[in-house]
Structure formats: structure tokens, C-alpha cells
Amino acid sequence: MSTEVLTPPSPAGPAGIPDRAAVRRINLASMAGTTIEYYDYFIYGTAAALVFGKVFFPNMGGVVGALAAFGTFAVVFVFRPVGSVLFGHIGDRLGRKRTLILTLMMMGSCTVAVGLLPGAATIGVAAPILLVVLRAVQGLAVGGEWAGAALFASENAPDGRRGRFALYPQVGATLAFALAAATFLAVDLGIGETSQAFVSWGWRVPFVLSALLIGVGLWVRLRTTETPVFTAAAAARTSTPRAVPFLEVWRRQPRTMLLATGLTTGVFASMSIASVYLTSYATSSLGMSTAGILVIDIVGSVATVAITAAAAVLSDRFGRRPLVLAGCIALAVWSLVLFPLIDTRSPLAIGTGVVVLLGLIGLAYGPLGAYLPEMFSTRHRYTGAGLSYNLGGVVGGAGILMAAAPLAASGWGPIALGLCMAVLLLISVGCLWGLPETRDRSLTAE
């Protein structure tokens, strides 16, 4: 019979406070990968909707080609949990730093390669095959990236400041949405999304530009050291063979794994609706211009960055659970208001709906950078945090996008999608109710 292993509360984190230069390197190193990860997620979704059917599946026709393009978008979700297990094993055994360098290089190089990949008109059927392969490798890398970044931040944090340190992986995700929207806005204003130039080369610009982010991220991560928590655990390790982290986390903390996955499901469902679905819905169903919705997305992203950071910092004072709980409840309520509000077709109403939704996501999402790692023991923390995070992304984030069209086409209309969001968020609230507060929990105990 499995027994849930919980680490008792005690003073958290390393006692010493790193110097300012070290803190800056830690913050940048933990933020760089998630920025690239979500930047790719957002630009790929936009490019798949606008142009990938024409570039990689030209012989399949408009609708079928578009479906095939979105199929390549979904490949990442299939491989993310696999990447969590693979890189969680490496990170729990060999360390956080080297795993983060590996995931960054894999993820970033694939993003740039997509931007340079010739279309079907040039290399035929090899083009979509290579696209799927690149997406699969990206999925593996993405599966290992967030947990490593969150652990790198939280395990380097001094006492009582893990929320403040772990805000950077969370801010990276929201910052990426602003960068992606701004990049496509510039392309749209410069050459237009329907022009031949956009189909030929314009869509490639956001992918190739990610090389700048990769260079900065790699330079920063190479200049950091391993986290003190992992170093201490490795030094205390005996020669006795240890269990496989994936098996160990399910044997020792199965309840935590299931509850943490349920917690993230509602949050990720809200993120997918806000960052992917509403952009398409506003242009195709509400008649808003692409530039108009992208401006709203940028404003909402700025608000999300600020609220995400504030929620993470406040979680050091008030605890993780109260802030995540407030965010999930507020999101559940707002999801019922969202579609009736934006269906008025008023630009002000659409802007209010999107910006408030993004801001409330920041309230729930900000503390998770510290909260999920604090739930798991050091020996399998990378695996536990990463797998629960990515399973929630698959079930909530991908699941609601797959259900969006059938729900919107039902007799209830788009409000059915809002009801689905509310149900998933209430599941998150129920799972959160079964999880403990972890603000004062030690990360050094096995």
C-alpha cells in the first residue's frame, strides 16, 4: 500500500543570500527557457492557423490542410509528458543545470529550424515529415524545461523568498505571449498576413528571431552553478542504487501527483482559451481585425506579467494556496461572464474580457513556480513537478482546445465553452483543497 510522503515544515531554502550578480544570473537563467518555450507555442499556433496548411500541406485543400497543420501543433502535447519523465530522470539524477542547458539547446534549435524549413513545394513530402519530427523533439524538450527552470529558481532561493525567485519562470511564459503578439503585429502591419510575402517568408521571421533569445539564455545558463539543494543531496547520497524517479514519485506521493495535475488543469484550460482560442474567435466570429486583437493581447500580457509577479511575491507572505485559490475562483466566475460580454462585439467589451481573463490567470499562475516544486521530495522533485505540470497542460490546455469547436457549435453556443472552463476550474479548486500549504516547507529534506 502506497504511503504519501510529506516533508515537514521547517525553515526553507539555503541560509545565505546570493550576491546581486548571482541573483541576476539565476533569474535570467530560469526565465529564458520558459520565455522561448511559450514564445514558440504562441507563434506556432498563429502560423499554423494562418499559413502552415499552404506551406506544408498544399495538396490537401484548405480545410484538410488546416487540420493537418493543427495536427502538427498538437504533437508537442503528446510528447510533453514523455519529456517530463525523460528529463525529470536526468535532472533528478545528474542535476538541474546541465538538464536546463540540454533542454534549451534542443527546444531553441528546433524553433529556429522550423523557421528555416523548406516547404512542400521545394522538398515535397519530406517537408511535413521533418516538421513533425521537429515538433516531437520540441515536445520532449518542453516537457523538461519548466520544471528545471522552476527548481533552479526555488532551490537557489534564500529563506522566505522562494515565491519571489520562482516568479521568473512564470513571468517568462506571460512575457512570451507579449513578444509573440508584438512580433506578429509588426509583420501584419509591415506586409499583411494575407500577402504572398507573408506566405513566402514573413511567417518565418518570428521563428528565426528566437535565436536571439536562445543565445542570451544559453550564455546565462552556462555562467550559473548547480543549485545548493541538489548539490547537498548529491553529496549525501550513498552508493545504494536509487529507484527510478518516475516510479518513486508514484510510489511515495501518488496523491500529490494526482491533485497537483488536477490543480493545473483548470489554469491551463484558461491559458489556452485566452492565448489561442480567443485570438481566432475575435477575428473569425466577431469581425475584429488581426491588428486589433493583437493590441489587446499585448495590453493583457503586460497586465498578466505584473499580476503574475505580484502574486508570486505575495505568496511568500500570505502563502501559495490562498492566492491560487482566489485566482481559480475568480477565473471560474469570469468564464461565465466572458463570452456573453465579448459577444456584444464592442471593442471595449472584447478588450475588457480578454485583459481581465489574462490578469486573473496571472493571479493563479504566479505562485505555481514555487508551489509545485515544494510539494515533492528532492529525490524526485524534477519528475514530480514537471509531470504534474505537463499532464495538466495536456488535459486542460489541449483538451479544451479540442473541445472548443464542438462546444461553440452546440445549442448553447460559445457560453458552453465558458461553462466547460468553469467546471475545470472548480475541479482545480477541489484539488487545491486537498493540497497542503508549502510556504514554510524545507526543500532540503529527502
Side-chain angles (χ1 to χ4, degrees), residues 417-442:
L417 190 55
L419 289 169
C420 182
M421 287 175 60
V423 170
L424 291 174
L425 285 159
L426 290 177
I427 291 173
S428 293
V429 170
C431 291
L432 183 62
W433 203 259
L435 289 166
E437 177 56 59
T438 60
R439 177 184 55 174
D440 297 321
R441 180 171 292 175
S442 172

Side-chain angles (χ1 to χ4, degrees), residues 258-347:
L258 293 173
L259 291 175
T261 299
L263 167 61
T264 56
T265 295
V267 178
F268 277 114
S270 301
M271 289 179 69
S272 288
I273 293 299
S275 62
V276 178
Y277 181 79
L278 286 182
T279 300
S280 174
Y281 183 72
T283 54
S284 62
S285 299
L286 303 180
M288 176 168 274
S289 67
T290 299
I293 191 60
L294 288 175
V295 169
I296 290 173
D297 287 342
I298 293 170
V299 173
S301 299
V302 172
T304 310
V305 168
I307 295 173
T308 298
V313 172
L314 289 173
S315 74
D316 282 333
R317 180 176 181 181
F318 299 107
R320 322 297 184 210
R321 291 179 77 249
L323 289 159
V324 178
L325 180 63
C328 288
I329 293 175
L331 281 168
V333 173
W334 191 250
S335 66
L336 301 177
V337 176
L338 177 64
F339 285 99
L341 178 64
I342 65 177
D343 280 348
T344 63
R345 297 177 182 265
S346 162

Side-chain angles (χ1 to χ4, degrees), residues 89-303:
H89 185 94
I90 297 172
D92 283 326
R93 289 292 185 86
L94 301 180
R96 320 316 192 192
K97 175 184 173 179
R98 66 181 70 184
T99 310
L100 280 173
I101 292 172
L102 180 58
T103 57
L104 179 65
M105 292 178 64
M106 287 176 58
M107 183 172 56
S109 60
C110 287
T111 300
V112 174
V114 169
L116 300 176
L117 183 64
T122 304
I123 60 174
V125 71
I129 292 174
L130 289 173
L131 181 63
V132 171
V133 170
L134 289 172
R135 294 297 286 170
V137 176
Q138 279 181 317
L140 292 174
V142 165
E145 171 60 36
W146 178 86
L151 265 63
F152 191 79
S154 58
E155 290 184 349
N156 271 300
D159 296 348
R161 296 178 64 188
R162 281 203 297 265
R164 181 183 295 271
F165 269 55
L167 71 86
Y168 290 92
Q170 309 305 88
V171 164
T174 54
L175 178 62
F177 187 37
L179 290 175
T183 304
F184 270 104
L185 178 61
V187 172
D188 179 67
L189 295 176
I191 62 177
E193 67 181 52
T194 60
S195 68
Q196 183 57 40
F198 182 82
V199 176
S200 176
W201 59 267
W203 68 268
R204 300 178 183 274
V205 173
F207 289 88
V208 176
L209 284 178
S210 68
L212 299 175
L213 297 175
I214 298 162
V216 172
L218 187 60
W219 176 73
V220 171
R221 286 186 174 180
L222 287 171
R223 298 178 69 237
T224 59
T225 58
E226 185 54 77
T227 73
V229 172
F230 180 84
T231 301
R237 192 178 301 161
T238 67
S239 59
T240 304
R242 298 173 64 197
V244 175
F246 173 72
L247 299 177
E248 189 172 347
V249 72
W250 284 109
R251 180 177 65 85
R252 294 171 62 88
Q253 295 186 263
R255 180 174 178 274
T256 299
M257 275 295 304
L258 293 173
L259 291 175
T261 299
L263 167 61
T264 56
T265 295
V267 178
F268 277 114
S270 301
M271 289 179 69
S272 288
I273 293 299
S275 62
V276 178
Y277 181 79
L278 286 182
T279 300
S280 174
Y281 183 72
T283 54
S284 62
S285 299
L286 303 180
M288 176 168 274
S289 67
T290 299
I293 191 60
L294 288 175
V295 169
I296 290 173
D297 287 342
I298 293 170
V299 173
S301 299
V302 172

